[in-house]
Amino acid sequence: MNTPTAVARLTQEITAGLRAAALEDLYQDLHRHPELAFQEHRTAAKLAARLRAAGYDVTEGVGGTGVVGVLPNGDGPTVWLRGDMDALPVQEATGLEYASTVDGVMHACGHDLHVTWLAGAADALAAARARWSGTLVVVGQPAEESGGGAAAMFADGLHTRFPLPDVVLGQHVAPGLAGFYPHTPGLTMSASDDIDVVVHGVGGHGSRPESTTDPVVTAAYIVTRLQTVVSREVAAAHSVVLTVGQFHAGTKHNIIPAEARLALNLRTQDATVRDRVLRAVHRIVEGECRTAGCPTPPEVTVRPGYPNTVNDTVLDGEIAAVHRELFGPPTVLDFGPAMGSEDFSLLAPEGVPYDFWYVTSTPSAVWDAAPGAVLAEKIGNVPGNHSPLFAPDLSVLLPGWTASATRRRPHARTGCAGLGRMSRAGQTRLRPRRLPAVSFSLTRW
C-alpha cells in the first residue's frame, strides 16, 4: 500500500547512497557561471550531459534553450519534474568563494539550486529503476524570469513531442531558516501583468516651460494617483500589488522632453479584481493626460506574464504528508498564497494536476542575527530571492528534492511527493532535523 510512511521509507532507501559532494560541485559551477533568460546554453548542456549519462533520451533546444529528458520504465504514471535554469541581471555581493564570474549577472533567485536538485533527482531515480515503474520526464526550463520560457517550450511542441504527464511537480528555494517545506493547497502564487505607459507631451527649452506640455509632470501625477488604486478601489479582502518599477524621461538638464515612459507591474489573485485594476490604470492615465492637455492620447500596453498558480489540493496533501514523514510534522507549514508569480503552471496540460512548493534556505547564523520577533519580520530581514546577497545554505542541497508517484489504480489518484523544510521558526526556537540523504522515488505497486 502506498502510504506516506511506506513512500518515505522507500525514498530514503533509494537515495541512501547519494552524497552532497557530487551535487555541491555542480551547484557551485552553475553559480559561478550564471546565464540570462534564453541564454542558458552552458547550463542546458551541463544538464543534458548528466541526463544522457544516466540513461535518459534527451532533447535539447526545446523552446530555445530548454532540455527535456525522458526515462521510460514500463507501465505506470508519467511524472514531470521541472527546474528553471536562468539567472538575473544582478551584481552579486555575497562574497562567496564560488560567486558569479559574470559581471552584472547572478543566480539571485536560486535557479542554479533548482537545476542541481533536478539533476540529483534524475540520477537517483535512474539508478533505482528496479524500484519503480512508469515514465519520468525531466524538464529544464529556460527563461522563467522573463516570463516566456514555459510558453516557448509549449509553442515548441512540449505537449506533442513528449509523453504527456499525469502530474507535474516543481519547487522553489525561498528565504526562511533552512530546512522547512512550505506547502499551500489551492492558490499558491499570484498572476502577474506588466504594463507599459507612454505619456506624450510637447518638448522644449527648460527655461520656457510655458511653451511646452511637460510629460514629466503628468507622469509624476500618474505615479501618485496610481498609489490610490489598491488602497481606495480594491476591497481589503483582496491581495493586490501595483508597482511602478521604471520612470524614464528626458536626456539633458535643460530640456523638457516630448514623452515620458512608465513601467508598471500588477500582481493579483482574482480575475475580476485584475480586470478592475487594469480599468483603473487606463482611466487614471488617460484622465491625467487629458487634464494636462497632452496633444496625443497616451499609450497603455498590458503584457500578460504569469497566470495564477493553483495547486491541486489532493496532490499537495499527498506530497505534504510524505514531507511530514521524512522530516517531521513541524517542518511542513502553509503560509498561504504568495504575491510572487511563476510560469510553472503553463507546463501542465489542461486538467492535469500539479504541485509547487518551497524549500527554505537561509543559513542559521544569518537567520539568528536577523531582527524580528515573528516569522514575517524575520523573513523580511534576511536576504531573499533577487537580492545581491542571496546565498542559500548548502545544507539544502541533499534534502532539496523528493518526488514519488504511484501508479494509478481504480478510484485512486496519482500520488506524488517532493521535499522541502520551515515551521513557525520566527515564533519558536524549533530547528529542523537533518537527514543524511535526500529522497527521490517513483513508487511501484
Side-chain angles (χ1 to χ4, degrees), residues 19-41:
R19 295 293 176 259
L23 294 179
E24 190 171 309
D25 289 345
L26 174 61
Y27 170 66
Q28 293 186 357
D29 178 78
L30 294 174
H31 193 86
R32 287 189 184 98
H33 302 94
E35 297 170 301
L36 296 173
F38 292 117
Q39 300 175 29
E40 312 95 332
H41 302 287

Side-chain angles (χ1 to χ4, degrees), residues 144-445:
E144 184 276 333
E145 296 293 354
S146 70
M153 294 189 82
F154 174 80
D156 199 15
L158 185 66
H159 292 168
T160 58
R161 298 165 60 187
F162 306 101
L164 288 175
D166 292 298
V167 291
V168 182
L169 304 177
Q171 68 179 18
H172 206 297
V173 64
L177 178 63
F180 293 87
Y181 302 87
H183 272 270
T184 299
L187 177 67
T188 187
M189 298 193 81
S190 304
S192 175
D193 297 284
D194 289 334
I195 307 168
D196 295 315
V197 175
V198 182
V199 176
H200 299 286
V202 176
H205 200 287
S207 67
R208 298 184 63 240
E210 73 280 3
S211 66
T212 71
T213 302
D214 193 339
V216 176
V217 175
T218 303
Y221 275 115
I222 290 171
V223 171
T224 302
R225 181 68 176 173
L226 288 175
Q227 308 311 304
T228 67
V229 173
V230 175
S231 65
R232 290 295 177 266
E233 300 195 37
V234 177
H238 296 290
S239 295
V240 177
V241 175
L242 179 60
T243 296
V244 180
Q246 296 180 45
F247 188 143
H248 298 291
T251 58
K252 197 171 173 57
H253 297 72
N254 63 344
I255 298 176
I256 294 174
E259 69 175 31
R261 293 176 177 266
L262 302 174
L264 320 179
N265 181 254
L266 173 63
R267 305 292 174 117
T268 54
Q269 297 176 349
D270 180 273
T272 301
V273 173
R274 172 184 178 272
D275 291 343
R276 181 171 184 172
V277 172
L278 289 176
R279 288 196 300 271
V281 170
H282 278 274
R283 186 190 74 243
I284 288 170
V285 172
E286 292 165 2
E288 292 293 346
C289 288
R290 281 196 302 271
T291 299
C294 293
T296 305
E299 301 170 40
V300 180
T301 305
V302 179
R303 306 180 191 280
Y306 306 91
N308 290 125
T309 302
V310 184
N311 285 333
D312 182 86
T313 55
V314 175
L315 179 59
D316 183 75
E318 293 171 346
I319 295 174
V322 176
H323 289 177
R324 294 186 184 99
E325 288 290 331
L326 284 164
F327 301 110
T331 65
V332 177
L333 72 154
D334 176 4
F335 55 35
M339 294 311 300
S341 305
E342 257 280 352
D343 63 354
F344 164 77
S345 64
L346 295 176
L347 297 177
E350 186 175 357
V352 171
Y354 61 80
D355 195 35
F356 191 81
W357 62 92
Y358 303 91
V359 179
T360 60
S361 64
T362 304
S364 59
V366 176
W367 182 261
D368 291 340
V374 297
L375 180 62
E377 291 178 354
K378 281 279 196 181
I379 289 180
N381 287 306
V382 298
N385 305 81
H386 294 211
S387 165
L389 298 173
F390 187 61
D393 194 320
L394 294 181
S395 69
V396 303
L397 276 172
L398 279 180
W401 188 287
T402 295
S404 169
T406 65
R407 180 176 178 178
R408 186 180 296 275
R409 301 174 69 190
H411 310 295
R413 297 185 61 83
T414 297
C416 305
L419 282 187
R421 310 184 200 191
M422 176 168 146
S423 179
R424 303 280 176 188
Q427 301 171 347
T428 72
R429 301 310 299 164
L430 177 68
R431 294 288 180 180
R433 63 186 174 94
R434 304 291 182 181
L435 292 189
V438 69
S439 304
F440 318 99
S441 78
L442 289 173
T443 303
R444 186 177 192 162
W445 275 102

